[in-house]
Amino acid sequence: MPPHHSVATDRCADQLRLASIEPPITKASLSELDLRRIINDSKLRHDLNFEVKIAFRPNYYGLKGELKRAMARAYWTALAMELATYVGRRHQHPPFTPNFSTSHTDLCPSVSTQTTTRRLPKMFYVLRDILKSLVPEAEWFSIEQVLDVDFIMQQLDKGVCDLNGLIGWLGTLLMGSCSPCRDPTVLKMVETVQQAVIDQDVQGIVSGIDQLFSILEIMKLDVANHQIRELKLLMIDDTVQFQQRYFLGRIQSGMQVEEARLWYDSAVQHEPQQPESLEACRSVFARAVIDLVIGNEPCFPTTFVFDNDRLRALQAEFQNHIGQELCGKAFDHILGLLGYIANPPSSIYQGLLHRILGIEEYLCATGESLMKSEDTVLEIVRTAYAACGLSSLPSDKHVAAAKSYLMHAMDVNSTMYQQLECNLCSELEDIVDDELETISTLTPLQILNHYHPTAAFPRASPQRSGLHDMGQRLAHIIVLHWWTWSPILYLQPTESKQLVSEPCIASDQCSDHPSSRPQSVSMPDLGTMWEDGSRAESTSTDTKASGEAG
């Protein structure tokens, strides 16, 4: 055998040996989208309270997504080799020639028996199992009859398998079970395979099979997303009861919550007057959470495991809000240097803020600080010039003055920064207190409707912007967290050695807790097994739930 044939044969053998024996999409990998898994996904159920449009979708982003795509490419390449090799075993001139740089007759004979890992029969078994999980039970008998794997492999071995007929039957079956909007995709898949059979193109056939499995994944996602839409309102109203059961199980399994209790106790001890009512305890808790956001704390108590990302976002927004306020003060400073005495129209401030936000979005991608950016300084000076009616370019003197002002103002130890932070913190606390007063008597579903009217029942949408928007979102996090954790941790007797066993606060002592009031709906009993709370993207199919944050 010529040397280049030996190298090519080794490469073929390696691909056949190392690639996965199962398709990238299997019944097991799609099982996370089963109804029971959705019902028991604690992180998803928590996020439903904050995200208006939440849905599962394939996750092909980042390093994990790239690895998934690479593994899929390796599998389909190996399957194409195996299909060509399998067909060629009994035929000197097989009917299919793979679309590789070298014909399979040169590469595969020496590895066909020793290293082929039989992906073809495994692929047909997986296909049959997924189809049975997606179509009505009445179709199962025909699936078993048509996808008789042993019989199909015998037909392939003898070169008499009617792939066109098989793929046509699959197309008809899928269009009878999937959403009508998927029909064009199914028809394209059928056309791809049938044309490849005519052209004797193994690569084209495998490409069509790849499309087939993608369609099966989409169908499963469609079903899962439909189930989320149907059960969303029920799951939201059951948020507190479900999370209490879930976290009690986690605590009994070793979840550490002592530091969270100490954090709350410390907040109580720092109060000038010890809280005696539940409302006072909740107010202490709310101020402690606000301090986490204002103080830009690097980590949160373990009880906030489902809200870490939301709190991080609020921290960043608060810091950006301080930056925007300081930019406004720098603008006033430059106006003073230019001799502008009158108060400029609010539209000028709004325009400056709008452009600063645009700069901020750009800087977020580059990692540059808003306050240190030359773009920010130039925009402040340019706007001041425009307000004064000056058409000249900003002078170096005024640019340097604006930059110096911002550098001093951004110092967290400066009087200006601390005073501004204190004022904004006080304003945020007032907003949160008002919001808590409004939503504390509502159910979780009613709170969702209050902040996102189109999520449940349409009505006029409230205006949300800036610090007021932050206060609403923070109040939403606070009230759900308090309802969940106050009876099982924060309000537990301190002398109790077992911090948490079950909610022990009497219902007449916690009237603001939703479980102490009749609920409008209840979840069906789907068992007492709870998952570990991992999101869909951390499981095998690498799908993830996405939505518009509330």
Side-chain angles (χ1 to χ4, degrees):
M1 179 183 294
H4 72 277
H5 280 203
S6 175
V7 173
T9 301
D10 291 342
R11 184 172 65 250
C12 178
D14 288 341
Q15 288 177 314
L16 287 171
R17 184 177 64 254
L18 298 177
S20 172
I21 193 172
E22 289 190 332
I25 299 166
T26 64
K27 181 182 177 182
S29 70
L30 293 177
S31 65
E32 71 180 46
L33 300 172
D34 290 345
L35 177 60
R36 180 172 292 275
R37 294 288 294 273
I38 292 173
I39 290 292
N40 290 322
D41 189 334
S42 50
K43 182 66 164 64
L44 170 65
R45 292 184 61 154
H46 184 74
D47 290 345
L48 286 173
N49 289 271
F50 301 94
E51 298 173 5
V52 181
K53 297 178 181 178
I54 192 166
F56 286 103
R57 59 178 174 80
N59 182 18
Y60 295 110
Y61 302 101
L63 295 176
K64 191 174 182 181
E66 180 58 37
L67 177 61
K68 180 181 177 181
R69 289 194 297 271
M71 294 176 63
R73 286 194 297 269
Y75 172 82
W76 295 119
T77 298
L79 186 71
M81 292 181 187
E82 185 173 325
L83 178 60
T85 303
Y86 197 92
V87 172
R89 288 178 184 174
R90 286 179 175 264
H91 303 280
Q92 187 67 30
H93 300 287
F96 302 125
T97 301
N99 188 20
F100 301 134
S101 57
T102 308
S103 171
H104 73 277
T105 55
D106 295 327
L107 288 180
C108 299
S110 62
V111 299
S112 60
T113 303
Q114 293 85 355
T115 60
T116 296
T117 52
R118 305 285 288 181
R119 289 174 184 81
L120 277 171
K122 184 68 175 178
M123 184 269 292
F124 284 118
Y125 281 121
V126 170
L127 174 61
R128 186 180 67 184
D129 291 342
I130 295 178
L131 285 173
K132 290 173 66 176
S133 70
L134 290 174
V135 304
E137 190 172 351
E139 303 284 353
W140 289 8
F141 179 76
S142 62
I143 292 174
E144 293 280 359
Q145 292 294 308
V146 176
L147 291 179
D148 184 336
V149 179
D150 292 337
F151 184 54
I152 291 175
M153 296 309 297
Q154 291 176 15
Q155 290 178 314
L156 282 172
D157 190 37
K158 296 180 180 299
V160 295
C161 182
D162 183 10
L163 289 179
N164 276 343
L166 178 60
I167 204 67
W169 172 82
L170 282 169
T172 301
L173 177 67
L174 294 180
M175 286 191 292
S177 301
C178 69
S179 170
C181 69
R182 306 298 182 192
D183 288 356
T185 307
V186 175
L187 292 173
K188 180 182 178 182
M189 177 272 297
V190 172
E191 180 182 351
T192 298
V193 174
Q194 291 181 341
Q195 187 60 47
V197 171
I198 295 173
D199 297 339
Q200 300 185 1
D201 178 12
V202 168
Q203 193 75 8
I205 294 174
V206 172
S207 176
I209 298 173
D210 184 5
Q211 295 176 39
L212 169 63
F213 276 85
S214 295
I215 291 170
L216 296 175
E217 181 183 37
I218 291 173
M219 289 177 62
K220 186 69 174 181
L221 289 168
D222 287 343
V223 172
N225 289 329
H226 172 73
Q227 291 169 337
I228 289 178
R229 289 191 296 270
E230 291 296 309
L231 295 173
K232 180 177 181 178
L233 303 186
L234 295 173
M235 290 193 289
I236 290 172
D237 240 12
D238 191 52
T239 295
V240 175
Q241 288 76 16
F242 176 85
Q243 288 195 356
Q244 286 179 342
R245 295 192 300 266
Y246 168 78
F247 281 117
L248 285 172
R250 285 284 302 273
I251 291 168
Q252 291 172 357
S253 299
M255 179 181 178
Q256 299 299 314
V257 295
E258 287 81 2
E259 288 187 6
R261 175 58 188 265
L262 293 174
W263 164 78
Y264 172 75
D265 288 343
S266 175
V268 172
Q269 292 169 5
H270 281 82
E271 287 293 309
Q273 183 176 357
Q274 294 301 296
E276 297 180 357
S277 66
L278 280 171
E279 184 177 354
C281 291
R282 189 194 65 198
S283 296
V284 172
F285 172 77
R287 286 191 290 273
V289 176
I290 293 173
D291 287 342
L292 291 176
V293 174
I294 302 303
N296 209 23
E297 294 295 330
C299 58
F300 305 112
T302 54
T303 49
F304 288 94
V305 61
F306 292 157
D307 288 312
N308 277 342
D309 292 341
R310 275 176 279 275
L311 292 175
R312 292 261 179 257
L314 286 167
Q315 283 182 334
E317 288 181 36
F318 186 79
Q319 295 302 315
N320 289 337
H321 197 79
I322 292 178
Q324 293 161 15
E325 291 286 334
L326 293 176
C327 286
K329 291 182 178 296
F331 172 70
D332 292 335
H333 176 68
I334 299 301
L335 284 179
L337 294 179
L338 292 171
Y340 192 95
I341 301 176
N343 291 326
S346 60
S347 59
I348 294 181
Y349 281 106
Q350 292 173 357
L352 174 62
L353 177 60
H354 179 74
R355 291 186 292 274
I356 291 295
L357 288 173
I359 295 173
E360 185 179 307
E361 291 178 1
Y362 169 76
L363 295 178
C364 284
T366 62
E368 188 177 355
S369 170
L370 175 68
M371 308 298 287
K372 296 180 180 180
S373 170
E374 292 290 341
D375 293 335
T376 304
V377 174
L378 287 173
E379 184 57 38
I380 291 171
V381 178
R382 188 199 68 78
T383 304
Y385 271 44
C388 295
L390 301 176
S391 58
S392 59
L393 293 175
S395 68
D396 292 342
K397 172 185 174 182
H398 292 131
V399 170
K403 186 173 183 179
S404 175
Y405 187 94
L406 285 177
M407 289 294 292
H408 171 71
M410 68 179 290
D411 182 359
V412 295
N413 295 317
S414 68
T415 303
M416 182 186 304
Y417 185 96
Q418 292 180 351
Q419 184 63 46
L420 178 60
E421 183 182 61
C422 182
N423 292 341
L424 292 176
C425 179
S426 178
E427 186 178 349
L428 183 61
E429 285 184 359
D430 290 341
I431 295 172
V432 170
D433 287 343
D434 291 342
E435 291 298 319
L436 288 175
E437 189 70 24
T438 300
I439 66 177
S440 61
T441 58
L442 305 179
T443 66
L445 180 57
Q446 290 170 336
I447 295 175
L448 178 69
N449 182 47
H450 176 73
Y451 289 134
H452 305 283
T454 57
F457 308 102
R459 64 174 177 82
S461 177
Q463 295 296 320
R464 304 174 66 190
S465 60
L467 209 61
H468 189 68
D469 174 57
M470 290 179 58
Q472 289 181 329
R473 289 152 55 200
L474 195 52
H476 196 175
I477 294 171
I478 288 171
V479 74
L480 289 182
H481 189 95
W482 179 253
W483 282 343
T484 299
W485 284 100
S486 61
I488 64 176
L489 180 63
Y490 301 132
L491 300 183
Q492 286 278 310
T494 54
E495 63 273 11
S496 172
K497 303 210 175 159
Q498 178 80 23
L499 265 183
V500 180
S501 58
E502 62 181 24
C504 67
I505 305 300
S507 61
D508 59 350
Q509 293 179 306
C510 54
S511 59
D512 66 336
H513 194 295
S515 65
S516 67
R517 306 189 305 274
Q519 296 296 299
S520 57
V521 291
S522 60
M523 284 298 298
D525 182 10
L526 294 176
T528 57
M529 295 293 292
W530 291 283
E531 303 298 330
D532 62 358
S534 60
R535 284 300 298 275
E537 60 264 31
S538 66
T539 50
S540 54
T541 67
D542 203 21
T543 58
K544 69 183 294 184
S546 64
E548 296 179 2

